[in-house]
Amino acid sequence: MYIKKLLILAIVLVLALGLFGCKAIDTMKDLITSEEPEIEIIRSDEDENIMDDASLRNTVLYYQNENGYLVPVKRKVPWEEGIAKAALKNIMDTPTIREDISSIGLKPIIPAGTEIIGMSINEETGLCKVDFNSQIMNCQSKKDEENMVKGVVYTLTEFSNIKEVQFMVDGKIVPELKYGTKVQQPLAREDINVVEDLGTGESKVVVYYKGTSNGDYEYYVPVTVPTSAPSANILTSLEALFDGAPALSGLYTDIPEGIDFQGVEVYNGVAYVDIISHDFEILEDQTVFNKMTKNIGLTLKEFPEIEYVEILFDGKTIEEAGLDIEAQETVPVFANEY
């Protein structure tokens, strides 16, 4: 009986091969095997719209806060050809972007309805030409327009291959935008968040102060400050930081009250920043010390030759001063991360 069954099965298999080919083999396997087929389970609550780190790029984008300051924010943008164009799309006023960044008290800078008609980058000169449609003219005020232009320039020049940006509208270079912001010539990084008359100084430096939205969110704000020095330098930058934010600016610093700046020396890429106080105990709070160090480091990040920062206490190292804290010496890469 057993042999007879095998014979019948063999005949069926031969007939199936003749009629249906290989597909029949798979069907027969399903009939005679008792093994369950392998099933790939994908959990939508974990994997939907999630990309691995290789497909994302840390990108610094510029938004505006309620007080009219441009704020740099590091965000992860999906990697694609034309990543610079993708970065601009992430600072456009769309319902999704507006809702997303409103949670941290910021708003997009490119007017709603704006589209990028074309974009090109000259790899030799670093000039990026961006052609917008006419909706780019729809900023609500002169301040918004100025911030939009600077924010676009600063966002694009975060990419190392872009040095300048040429604005175009509907395929043409225009002399100025709706409120008079000049865009006829290529624009480079310059004069972000000016809160004082730059004509009062011989040079200018960029200092990172602190800002807030309704007291709920804090972030570092790069501010262009005039100085009396013939040229921008590390000493005058730190003096401006320790002197505090300009009056009526609504900004502040992470430098604790009673901590004064004595001087700075640079050696082999390390800035040795010497501070003094009648009482250093306040800096034994690791969080307070870390915030102060980051504030100093961000301001010094404007000088490419600085790679590390070491805080000295009246000329002494942390160990020599007897403070029970850990130093974080590397210059910060990003100001604000959300």
Side-chain angles (χ1 to χ4, degrees):
M1 180 67 69
Y2 179 75
I3 296 175
K4 188 175 181 179
K5 287 183 178 180
L6 286 179
L7 183 59
I8 293 172
L9 182 61
I11 293 171
V12 171
L13 180 59
V14 170
L15 291 173
L17 275 172
L19 293 173
F20 304 107
C22 294
K23 184 176 181 181
I25 296 178
D26 293 334
T27 304
M28 293 301 296
K29 283 183 179 179
D30 290 341
L31 291 174
I32 64 177
T33 183
S34 60
E35 295 181 2
E36 294 292 332
E38 292 186 1
I39 300 174
E40 182 181 1
I41 299 176
I42 300 177
R43 294 185 58 185
S44 61
D45 59 335
E46 288 183 353
D47 297 332
E48 186 178 1
N49 296 326
I50 300 298
M51 300 182 179
D52 59 26
D53 288 343
S55 61
L56 297 172
R57 184 193 192 283
N58 286 330
T59 306
V60 178
L61 309 172
Y62 285 75
Y63 299 105
Q64 183 172 298
N65 75 353
E66 61 185 10
N67 296 318
Y69 292 115
L70 283 172
V71 179
V73 178
K74 185 207 83 171
R75 310 199 74 187
K76 289 185 179 294
V77 174
W79 174 260
E80 62 180 74
E81 289 296 328
I83 185 67
K85 182 185 292 187
L88 290 186
K89 291 179 179 178
N90 276 270
I91 60 175
M92 287 183 177
D93 191 354
T94 65
T96 300
I97 299 297
R98 178 171 283 271
E99 180 180 0
D100 187 22
I101 64 172
S102 66
S103 63
I104 54 176
L106 301 175
K107 63 179 183 179
I109 58 174
I110 299 180
T114 302
E115 296 179 359
I116 301 173
I117 300 173
M119 187 173 185
S120 66
I121 302 172
N122 187 314
E123 296 295 340
E124 293 184 2
T125 64
L127 176 62
C128 176
K129 294 182 179 180
V130 189
D131 187 10
F132 296 100
N133 67 355
S134 60
Q135 300 300 310
I136 196 72
M137 294 284 195
N138 289 346
C139 290
Q140 298 300 307
S141 67
K142 181 175 178 60
K143 180 65 174 177
D144 286 349
E145 185 176 273
E146 291 174 347
N147 276 348
M148 183 273 293
V149 171
K150 282 191 169 69
V152 167
V153 171
Y154 271 73
T155 293
L156 289 177
T157 53
E158 288 287 344
F159 297 95
S160 60
N161 62 330
I162 298 177
K163 307 302 179 186
E164 293 183 310
V165 178
Q166 175 68 69
F167 277 75
M168 302 177 70
V169 180
D170 287 334
K172 299 177 181 179
I173 296 176
V174 297
E176 59 186 38
L177 300 182
K178 178 180 177 180
Y179 290 96
T181 305
K182 306 296 183 183
V183 292
Q184 186 166 13
Q185 301 299 323
L187 302 172
R189 287 181 168 229
E190 186 178 27
D191 300 345
I192 187 170
N193 292 324
V194 175
V195 294
E196 292 186 75
D197 181 8
L198 297 180
T200 61
E202 294 189 31
S203 63
K204 54 193 175 185
V205 294
V206 175
V207 179
Y208 279 77
Y209 297 115
K210 250 336 200 0
T212 183
S213 290
N214 295 324
D216 294 329
Y217 308 98
E218 283 189 321
Y219 27 70
Y220 292 98
V221 179
V223 175
T224 304
V225 179
T227 75
S228 58
S231 60
N233 61 75
I234 293 169
L235 177 64
T236 54
S237 294
L238 290 176
E239 286 176 339
L241 175 63
F242 278 81
D243 285 344
L248 304 178
S249 66
L251 302 173
Y252 49 95
T253 74
D254 279 325
I255 310 297
E257 187 175 350
I259 301 296
D260 296 318
F261 173 60
Q262 289 202 118
V264 59
E265 292 186 9
V266 179
Y267 183 71
N268 286 344
V270 181
Y272 296 91
V273 181
D274 194 11
I275 61 176
I276 190 171
S277 172
H278 67 279
D279 184 4
F280 283 124
E281 287 186 3
I282 188 173
L283 295 178
E284 288 189 309
D285 183 323
Q286 187 72 55
T287 301
V288 172
F289 178 77
N290 288 348
K291 285 185 175 182
M292 181 188 74
T293 304
K294 182 174 182 178
N295 209 164
I296 293 171
L298 285 171
T299 297
L300 293 182
K301 184 172 71 73
E302 293 294 314
F303 299 91
E305 65 270 27
I306 303 300
E307 299 177 4
Y308 300 94
V309 175
E310 183 170 340
I311 305 298
L312 301 179
F313 303 87
D314 197 13
K316 300 177 182 178
T317 64
I318 290 176
E319 294 78 10
E320 292 170 341
L323 297 177
D324 186 21
I325 51 178
E326 295 182 3
Q328 298 181 349
E329 298 177 348
T330 306
V331 172
V333 178
F334 303 107
N336 307 295
E337 302 182 33
Y338 293 105

PDB file of all heavy atoms in Angstrom, residues 39-67:
ATOM      1  N   ILE A  39       7.869  34.464   8.099  1.00  0.00           N
ATOM      2  CA  ILE A  39       7.140  35.721   7.955  1.00  0.00           C
ATOM      3  C   ILE A  39       7.977  36.841   8.543  1.00  0.00           C
ATOM      4  O   ILE A  39       8.442  36.739   9.690  1.00  0.00           O
ATOM      5  CB  ILE A  39       5.779  35.650   8.673  1.00  0.00           C
ATOM      6  CG1 ILE A  39       4.938  34.514   8.076  1.00  0.00           C
ATOM      7  CG2 ILE A  39       5.040  36.965   8.564  1.00  0.00           C
ATOM      8  CD1 ILE A  39       3.642  34.275   8.809  1.00  0.00           C
ATOM      9  N   GLU A  40       8.212  37.920   7.780  1.00  0.00           N
ATOM     10  CA  GLU A  40       8.947  39.086   8.275  1.00  0.00           C
ATOM     11  C   GLU A  40       7.959  40.031   8.948  1.00  0.00           C
ATOM     12  O   GLU A  40       7.018  40.517   8.313  1.00  0.00           O
ATOM     13  CB  GLU A  40       9.654  39.802   7.125  1.00  0.00           C
ATOM     14  CG  GLU A  40      10.473  40.999   7.600  1.00  0.00           C
ATOM     15  CD  GLU A  40      11.142  41.718   6.455  1.00  0.00           C
ATOM     16  OE1 GLU A  40      10.955  41.309   5.295  1.00  0.00           O
ATOM     17  OE2 GLU A  40      11.847  42.690   6.720  1.00  0.00           O
ATOM     18  N   ILE A  41       8.148  40.235  10.228  1.00  0.00           N
ATOM     19  CA  ILE A  41       7.245  41.098  10.982  1.00  0.00           C
ATOM     20  C   ILE A  41       7.828  42.498  11.048  1.00  0.00           C
ATOM     21  O   ILE A  41       8.951  42.688  11.513  1.00  0.00           O
ATOM     22  CB  ILE A  41       7.036  40.556  12.409  1.00  0.00           C
ATOM     23  CG1 ILE A  41       6.406  39.148  12.317  1.00  0.00           C
ATOM     24  CG2 ILE A  41       6.146  41.476  13.222  1.00  0.00           C
ATOM     25  CD1 ILE A  41       6.253  38.473  13.650  1.00  0.00           C
ATOM     26  N   ILE A  42       7.090  43.477  10.578  1.00  0.00           N
ATOM     27  CA  ILE A  42       7.506  44.882  10.628  1.00  0.00           C
ATOM     28  C   ILE A  42       6.579  45.622  11.567  1.00  0.00           C
ATOM     29  O   ILE A  42       5.375  45.693  11.338  1.00  0.00           O
ATOM     30  CB  ILE A  42       7.468  45.530   9.233  1.00  0.00           C
ATOM     31  CG1 ILE A  42       8.414  44.780   8.293  1.00  0.00           C
ATOM     32  CG2 ILE A  42       7.844  46.995   9.319  1.00  0.00           C
ATOM     33  CD1 ILE A  42       8.387  45.302   6.875  1.00  0.00           C
ATOM     34  N   ARG A  43       7.143  46.162  12.634  1.00  0.00           N
ATOM     35  CA  ARG A  43       6.340  46.906  13.597  1.00  0.00           C
ATOM     36  C   ARG A  43       6.219  48.357  13.137  1.00  0.00           C
ATOM     37  O   ARG A  43       7.167  49.117  13.176  1.00  0.00           O
ATOM     38  CB  ARG A  43       6.967  46.852  14.992  1.00  0.00           C
ATOM     39  CG  ARG A  43       6.972  45.448  15.582  1.00  0.00           C
ATOM     40  CD  ARG A  43       7.491  45.465  16.986  1.00  0.00           C
ATOM     41  NE  ARG A  43       6.684  46.353  17.827  1.00  0.00           N
ATOM     42  CZ  ARG A  43       6.983  46.629  19.099  1.00  0.00           C
ATOM     43  NH1 ARG A  43       8.055  46.101  19.648  1.00  0.00           N
ATOM     44  NH2 ARG A  43       6.221  47.433  19.792  1.00  0.00           N
ATOM     45  N   SER A  44       5.042  48.723  12.696  1.00  0.00           N
ATOM     46  CA  SER A  44       4.846  50.060  12.138  1.00  0.00           C
ATOM     47  C   SER A  44       5.069  51.149  13.164  1.00  0.00           C
ATOM     48  O   SER A  44       5.446  52.263  12.838  1.00  0.00           O
ATOM     49  CB  SER A  44       3.435  50.177  11.559  1.00  0.00           C
ATOM     50  OG  SER A  44       2.464  49.978  12.567  1.00  0.00           O
ATOM     51  N   ASP A  45       4.845  50.834  14.438  1.00  0.00           N
ATOM     52  CA  ASP A  45       5.017  51.872  15.461  1.00  0.00           C
ATOM     53  C   ASP A  45       6.473  52.195  15.706  1.00  0.00           C
ATOM     54  O   ASP A  45       6.811  53.214  16.292  1.00  0.00           O
ATOM     55  CB  ASP A  45       4.361  51.440  16.776  1.00  0.00           C
ATOM     56  CG  ASP A  45       4.941  50.145  17.317  1.00  0.00           C
ATOM     57  OD1 ASP A  45       5.471  49.343  16.514  1.00  0.00           O
ATOM     58  OD2 ASP A  45       4.861  49.939  18.531  1.00  0.00           O
ATOM     59  N   GLU A  46       7.384  51.320  15.236  1.00  0.00           N
ATOM     60  CA  GLU A  46       8.802  51.571  15.433  1.00  0.00           C
ATOM     61  C   GLU A  46       9.518  51.976  14.148  1.00  0.00           C
ATOM     62  O   GLU A  46      10.376  52.838  14.142  1.00  0.00           O
ATOM     63  CB  GLU A  46       9.497  50.322  15.998  1.00  0.00           C
ATOM     64  CG  GLU A  46       9.151  50.033  17.440  1.00  0.00           C
ATOM     65  CD  GLU A  46       9.919  48.844  17.964  1.00  0.00           C
ATOM     66  OE1 GLU A  46      10.615  48.185  17.155  1.00  0.00           O
ATOM     67  OE2 GLU A  46       9.824  48.573  19.157  1.00  0.00           O
ATOM     68  N   ASP A  47       9.145  51.355  13.042  1.00  0.00           N
ATOM     69  CA  ASP A  47       9.938  51.489  11.822  1.00  0.00           C
ATOM     70  C   ASP A  47       9.360  52.431  10.794  1.00  0.00           C
ATOM     71  O   ASP A  47      10.033  52.794   9.845  1.00  0.00           O
ATOM     72  CB  ASP A  47      10.112  50.110  11.173  1.00  0.00           C
ATOM     73  CG  ASP A  47      10.887  49.168  12.082  1.00  0.00           C
ATOM     74  OD1 ASP A  47      11.688  49.674  12.872  1.00  0.00           O
ATOM     75  OD2 ASP A  47      10.672  47.946  11.994  1.00  0.00           O
ATOM     76  N   GLU A  48       8.124  52.840  10.922  1.00  0.00           N
ATOM     77  CA  GLU A  48       7.519  53.702   9.923  1.00  0.00           C
ATOM     78  C   GLU A  48       8.186  55.077   9.910  1.00  0.00           C
ATOM     79  O   GLU A  48       8.320  55.725  10.942  1.00  0.00           O
ATOM     80  CB  GLU A  48       6.023  53.861  10.197  1.00  0.00           C
ATOM     81  CG  GLU A  48       5.316  54.643   9.087  1.00  0.00           C
ATOM     82  CD  GLU A  48       3.833  54.734   9.354  1.00  0.00           C
ATOM     83  OE1 GLU A  48       3.384  54.218  10.385  1.00  0.00           O
ATOM     84  OE2 GLU A  48       3.127  55.333   8.515  1.00  0.00           O
ATOM     85  N   ASN A  49       8.632  55.490   8.724  1.00  0.00           N
ATOM     86  CA  ASN A  49       9.248  56.807   8.530  1.00  0.00           C
ATOM     87  C   ASN A  49      10.531  57.002   9.336  1.00  0.00           C
ATOM     88  O   ASN A  49      10.950  58.126   9.569  1.00  0.00           O
ATOM     89  CB  ASN A  49       8.262  57.928   8.891  1.00  0.00           C
ATOM     90  CG  ASN A  49       7.066  57.909   7.969  1.00  0.00           C
ATOM     91  OD1 ASN A  49       7.179  57.578   6.801  1.00  0.00           O
ATOM     92  ND2 ASN A  49       5.912  58.254   8.511  1.00  0.00           N
ATOM     93  N   ILE A  50      11.158  55.916   9.794  1.00  0.00           N
ATOM     94  CA  ILE A  50      12.409  56.032  10.529  1.00  0.00           C
ATOM     95  C   ILE A  50      13.549  55.636   9.606  1.00  0.00           C
ATOM     96  O   ILE A  50      13.515  54.580   8.973  1.00  0.00           O
ATOM     97  CB  ILE A  50      12.417  55.120  11.776  1.00  0.00           C
ATOM     98  CG1 ILE A  50      11.268  55.518  12.693  1.00  0.00           C
ATOM     99  CG2 ILE A  50      13.741  55.211  12.500  1.00  0.00           C
ATOM    100  CD1 ILE A  50      11.340  56.930  13.222  1.00  0.00           C
ATOM    101  N   MET A  51      14.580  56.478   9.540  1.00  0.00           N
ATOM    102  CA  MET A  51      15.718  56.189   8.690  1.00  0.00           C
ATOM    103  C   MET A  51      16.948  55.978   9.566  1.00  0.00           C
ATOM    104  O   MET A  51      17.049  56.533  10.652  1.00  0.00           O
ATOM    105  CB  MET A  51      15.982  57.354   7.723  1.00  0.00           C
ATOM    106  CG  MET A  51      14.819  57.654   6.799  1.00  0.00           C
ATOM    107  SD  MET A  51      15.226  58.989   5.666  1.00  0.00           S
ATOM    108  CE  MET A  51      13.705  59.077   4.722  1.00  0.00           C
ATOM    109  N   ASP A  52      17.882  55.162   9.077  1.00  0.00           N
ATOM    110  CA  ASP A  52      19.105  54.997   9.846  1.00  0.00           C
ATOM    111  C   ASP A  52      19.978  56.233   9.689  1.00  0.00           C
ATOM    112  O   ASP A  52      19.744  57.085   8.842  1.00  0.00           O
ATOM    113  CB  ASP A  52      19.854  53.724   9.423  1.00  0.00           C
ATOM    114  CG  ASP A  52      20.217  53.727   7.939  1.00  0.00           C
ATOM    115  OD1 ASP A  52      20.355  54.816   7.373  1.00  0.00           O
ATOM    116  OD2 ASP A  52      20.372  52.636   7.366  1.00  0.00           O
ATOM    117  N   ASP A  53      21.009  56.323  10.544  1.00  0.00           N
ATOM    118  CA  ASP A  53      21.835  57.526  10.575  1.00  0.00           C
ATOM    119  C   ASP A  53      22.523  57.795   9.244  1.00  0.00           C
ATOM    120  O   ASP A  53      22.830  58.939   8.919  1.00  0.00           O
ATOM    121  CB  ASP A  53      22.884  57.408  11.691  1.00  0.00           C
ATOM    122  CG  ASP A  53      22.253  57.541  13.065  1.00  0.00           C
ATOM    123  OD1 ASP A  53      21.112  58.041  13.131  1.00  0.00           O
ATOM    124  OD2 ASP A  53      22.879  57.133  14.055  1.00  0.00           O
ATOM    125  N   ALA A  54      22.779  56.734   8.465  1.00  0.00           N
ATOM    126  CA  ALA A  54      23.472  56.916   7.190  1.00  0.00           C
ATOM    127  C   ALA A  54      22.628  57.700   6.195  1.00  0.00           C
ATOM    128  O   ALA A  54      23.150  58.285   5.258  1.00  0.00           O
ATOM    129  CB  ALA A  54      23.852  55.561   6.607  1.00  0.00           C
ATOM    130  N   SER A  55      21.314  57.723   6.383  1.00  0.00           N
ATOM    131  CA  SER A  55      20.435  58.411   5.439  1.00  0.00           C
ATOM    132  C   SER A  55      20.031  59.788   5.926  1.00  0.00           C
ATOM    133  O   SER A  55      19.221  60.457   5.300  1.00  0.00           O
ATOM    134  CB  SER A  55      19.182  57.571   5.192  1.00  0.00           C
ATOM    135  OG  SER A  55      18.463  57.389   6.397  1.00  0.00           O
ATOM    136  N   LEU A  56      20.593  60.228   7.047  1.00  0.00           N
ATOM    137  CA  LEU A  56      20.287  61.541   7.602  1.00  0.00           C
ATOM    138  C   LEU A  56      21.565  62.366   7.684  1.00  0.00           C
ATOM    139  O   LEU A  56      22.662  61.833   7.882  1.00  0.00           O
ATOM    140  CB  LEU A  56      19.669  61.414   8.991  1.00  0.00           C
ATOM    141  CG  LEU A  56      18.326  60.687   9.070  1.00  0.00           C
ATOM    142  CD1 LEU A  56      17.933  60.470  10.527  1.00  0.00           C
ATOM    143  CD2 LEU A  56      17.239  61.466   8.351  1.00  0.00           C
ATOM    144  N   ARG A  57      21.406  63.665   7.565  1.00  0.00           N
ATOM    145  CA  ARG A  57      22.572  64.549   7.655  1.00  0.00           C
ATOM    146  C   ARG A  57      22.302  65.621   8.689  1.00  0.00           C
ATOM    147  O   ARG A  57      21.259  66.275   8.660  1.00  0.00           O
ATOM    148  CB  ARG A  57      22.857  65.222   6.304  1.00  0.00           C
ATOM    149  CG  ARG A  57      24.128  66.073   6.315  1.00  0.00           C
ATOM    150  CD  ARG A  57      24.188  66.949   5.074  1.00  0.00           C
ATOM    151  NE  ARG A  57      25.478  67.579   4.882  1.00  0.00           N
ATOM    152  CZ  ARG A  57      25.909  68.642   5.556  1.00  0.00           C
ATOM    153  NH1 ARG A  57      25.137  69.194   6.478  1.00  0.00           N
ATOM    154  NH2 ARG A  57      27.096  69.168   5.317  1.00  0.00           N
ATOM    155  N   ASN A  58      23.244  65.795   9.617  1.00  0.00           N
ATOM    156  CA  ASN A  58      23.143  66.900  10.560  1.00  0.00           C
ATOM    157  C   ASN A  58      23.282  68.210   9.801  1.00  0.00           C
ATOM    158  O   ASN A  58      24.306  68.468   9.170  1.00  0.00           O
ATOM    159  CB  ASN A  58      24.242  66.803  11.630  1.00  0.00           C
ATOM    160  CG  ASN A  58      23.953  65.702  12.627  1.00  0.00           C
ATOM    161  OD1 ASN A  58      22.802  65.384  12.907  1.00  0.00           O
ATOM    162  ND2 ASN A  58      24.997  65.105  13.183  1.00  0.00           N
ATOM    163  N   THR A  59      22.257  69.018   9.838  1.00  0.00           N
ATOM    164  CA  THR A  59      22.220  70.249   9.056  1.00  0.00           C
ATOM    165  C   THR A  59      21.792  71.403   9.951  1.00  0.00           C
ATOM    166  O   THR A  59      20.843  71.280  10.719  1.00  0.00           O
ATOM    167  CB  THR A  59      21.219  70.114   7.888  1.00  0.00           C
ATOM    168  OG1 THR A  59      21.559  68.951   7.125  1.00  0.00           O
ATOM    169  CG2 THR A  59      21.261  71.329   6.990  1.00  0.00           C
ATOM    170  N   VAL A  60      22.498  72.523   9.855  1.00  0.00           N
ATOM    171  CA  VAL A  60      22.152  73.697  10.647  1.00  0.00           C
ATOM    172  C   VAL A  60      21.209  74.585   9.831  1.00  0.00           C
ATOM    173  O   VAL A  60      21.550  75.031   8.737  1.00  0.00           O
ATOM    174  CB  VAL A  60      23.405  74.491  11.059  1.00  0.00           C
ATOM    175  CG1 VAL A  60      23.005  75.743  11.843  1.00  0.00           C
ATOM    176  CG2 VAL A  60      24.327  73.615  11.918  1.00  0.00           C
ATOM    177  N   LEU A  61      20.036  74.805  10.368  1.00  0.00           N
ATOM    178  CA  LEU A  61      19.009  75.617   9.726  1.00  0.00           C
ATOM    179  C   LEU A  61      18.755  76.856  10.571  1.00  0.00           C
ATOM    180  O   LEU A  61      18.914  76.824  11.798  1.00  0.00           O
ATOM    181  CB  LEU A  61      17.716  74.822   9.586  1.00  0.00           C
ATOM    182  CG  LEU A  61      17.848  73.431   8.950  1.00  0.00           C
ATOM    183  CD1 LEU A  61      16.539  72.678   9.040  1.00  0.00           C
ATOM    184  CD2 LEU A  61      18.309  73.539   7.504  1.00  0.00           C
ATOM    185  N   TYR A  62      18.334  77.938   9.933  1.00  0.00           N
ATOM    186  CA  TYR A  62      18.115  79.197  10.653  1.00  0.00           C
ATOM    187  C   TYR A  62      16.631  79.555  10.655  1.00  0.00           C
ATOM    188  O   TYR A  62      15.989  79.608   9.610  1.00  0.00           O
ATOM    189  CB  TYR A  62      18.946  80.327  10.025  1.00  0.00           C
ATOM    190  CG  TYR A  62      20.408  80.218  10.379  1.00  0.00           C
ATOM    191  CD1 TYR A  62      21.216  79.263   9.774  1.00  0.00           C
ATOM    192  CD2 TYR A  62      20.979  81.039  11.355  1.00  0.00           C
ATOM    193  CE1 TYR A  62      22.563  79.132  10.118  1.00  0.00           C
ATOM    194  CE2 TYR A  62      22.323  80.911  11.705  1.00  0.00           C
ATOM    195  CZ  TYR A  62      23.098  79.959  11.081  1.00  0.00           C
ATOM    196  OH  TYR A  62      24.421  79.836  11.439  1.00  0.00           O
ATOM    197  N   TYR A  63      16.124  79.765  11.880  1.00  0.00           N
ATOM    198  CA  TYR A  63      14.735  80.162  12.083  1.00  0.00           C
ATOM    199  C   TYR A  63      14.707  81.500  12.822  1.00  0.00           C
ATOM    200  O   TYR A  63      15.756  82.027  13.212  1.00  0.00           O
ATOM    201  CB  TYR A  63      13.992  79.097  12.886  1.00  0.00           C
ATOM    202  CG  TYR A  63      13.947  77.750  12.217  1.00  0.00           C
ATOM    203  CD1 TYR A  63      14.763  76.703  12.660  1.00  0.00           C
ATOM    204  CD2 TYR A  63      13.100  77.503  11.152  1.00  0.00           C
ATOM    205  CE1 TYR A  63      14.730  75.463  12.049  1.00  0.00           C
ATOM    206  CE2 TYR A  63      13.057  76.259  10.532  1.00  0.00           C
ATOM    207  CZ  TYR A  63      13.874  75.239  10.984  1.00  0.00           C
ATOM    208  OH  TYR A  63      13.847  74.007  10.375  1.00  0.00           O
ATOM    209  N   GLN A  64      13.517  82.027  13.033  1.00  0.00           N
ATOM    210  CA  GLN A  64      13.360  83.311  13.714  1.00  0.00           C
ATOM    211  C   GLN A  64      12.552  83.113  14.989  1.00  0.00           C
ATOM    212  O   GLN A  64      11.586  82.358  15.011  1.00  0.00           O
ATOM    213  CB  GLN A  64      12.646  84.297  12.779  1.00  0.00           C
ATOM    214  CG  GLN A  64      12.485  85.698  13.357  1.00  0.00           C
ATOM    215  CD  GLN A  64      11.958  86.676  12.316  1.00  0.00           C
ATOM    216  OE1 GLN A  64      12.597  86.927  11.306  1.00  0.00           O
ATOM    217  NE2 GLN A  64      10.785  87.237  12.564  1.00  0.00           N
ATOM    218  N   ASN A  65      12.949  83.828  16.065  1.00  0.00           N
ATOM    219  CA  ASN A  65      12.167  83.738  17.298  1.00  0.00           C
ATOM    220  C   ASN A  65      11.221  84.923  17.411  1.00  0.00           C
ATOM    221  O   ASN A  65      11.176  85.799  16.539  1.00  0.00           O
ATOM    222  CB  ASN A  65      13.077  83.596  18.523  1.00  0.00           C
ATOM    223  CG  ASN A  65      13.760  84.900  18.917  1.00  0.00           C
ATOM    224  OD1 ASN A  65      13.671  85.915  18.224  1.00  0.00           O
ATOM    225  ND2 ASN A  65      14.456  84.878  20.034  1.00  0.00           N
ATOM    226  N   GLU A  66      10.465  84.968  18.479  1.00  0.00           N
ATOM    227  CA  GLU A  66       9.427  85.989  18.640  1.00  0.00           C
ATOM    228  C   GLU A  66       9.995  87.391  18.775  1.00  0.00           C
ATOM    229  O   GLU A  66       9.291  88.378  18.555  1.00  0.00           O
ATOM    230  CB  GLU A  66       8.579  85.662  19.870  1.00  0.00           C
ATOM    231  CG  GLU A  66       9.383  85.634  21.168  1.00  0.00           C
ATOM    232  CD  GLU A  66       8.545  85.201  22.351  1.00  0.00           C
ATOM    233  OE1 GLU A  66       7.411  84.753  22.145  1.00  0.00           O
ATOM    234  OE2 GLU A  66       9.037  85.313  23.485  1.00  0.00           O
ATOM    235  N   ASN A  67      11.286  87.492  19.116  1.00  0.00           N
ATOM    236  CA  ASN A  67      11.917  88.804  19.264  1.00  0.00           C
ATOM    237  C   ASN A  67      12.674  89.236  18.016  1.00  0.00           C
ATOM    238  O   ASN A  67      13.373  90.253  18.028  1.00  0.00           O
ATOM    239  CB  ASN A  67      12.869  88.794  20.466  1.00  0.00           C
ATOM    240  CG  ASN A  67      12.129  88.560  21.775  1.00  0.00           C
ATOM    241  OD1 ASN A  67      11.067  89.122  22.002  1.00  0.00           O
ATOM    242  ND2 ASN A  67      12.684  87.716  22.635  1.00  0.00           N
TER     243      ASN A  67
END
